[in-house]
């Protein structure tokens, strides 16, 4: 995404989530979902962590830079989300759901 002046969202119109999904699908071939949270198991303090899975649910290996960029883009597209909880971005329909609710059977 291109940088915008301060205070202007990088994707200002209503289709920003769909464009983000398309950009991430192009950037990470074969990705179906991206789970974003602040509990990186390799860090002792809250740290951005993104896990990408394919259609079969298999975790895909990504470089640190790619994973971090994808996570940051998702955070910026949904600034109103409660980021103290993990969220999963579904690339097929460009939706974001709380991962802890999905695991408990109350979400998507």
């Amino acid at each position: 995404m291109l940088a915008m002046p301060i205070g202007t969202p990088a994707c200002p119109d209503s289709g920003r989530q769909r464009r983000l999904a398309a950009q991430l699908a192009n950037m990470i071939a074969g990705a179906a979902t991206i789970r974003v949270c602040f509990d990186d198991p390799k860090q002792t303090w809250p740290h951005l962590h993104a896990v990408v899975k394919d259609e079969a649910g298999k975790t895909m290996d990504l470089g640190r830079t790619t994973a971090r960029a994808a996570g940051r883009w998702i955070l910026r597209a949904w600034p109103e989300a409660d980021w103290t909880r993990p969220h999963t971005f579904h690339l097929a329909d460009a939706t974001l759901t709380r991962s802890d609710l999905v695991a408990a059977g109350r979400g998507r």
Side-chain angles (χ1 to χ4, degrees):
M1 276 190 252
L2 300 175
M4 300 294 284
I6 293 175
T8 304
C11 298
D13 64 326
S14 62
R16 69 183 184 193
Q17 288 90 1
R18 291 213 179 275
R19 283 196 317 278
L20 176 59
Q23 288 173 332
L24 289 171
N26 285 333
M27 186 171 89
I28 308 167
T33 63
I34 302 173
R35 182 179 184 271
V36 180
C37 61
F38 280 99
D39 59 356
D40 186 342
K42 296 177 184 174
Q43 302 293 330
T44 56
W45 59 88
H47 201 74
L48 181 64
H49 183 65
V51 176
V52 179
K53 294 191 176 189
D54 61 15
E55 283 292 329
K58 183 179 175 191
T59 302
M60 299 175 65
D61 290 327
L62 289 183
R64 187 178 104 180
T65 304
T66 303
R68 195 172 275 176
R72 286 179 180 160
W73 289 356
I74 293 168
L75 288 171
R76 289 179 184 151
W78 281 276
E80 71 284 352
D82 176 11
W83 289 107
T84 61
R85 304 279 187 223
H87 286 74
T88 300
F89 182 45
H90 303 270
L91 299 179
D93 56 2
T95 58
L96 185 75
T97 56
R98 271 190 37 197
S99 299
D100 56 343
L101 292 179
V102 171
R106 295 177 295 214
R108 210 168 137 64

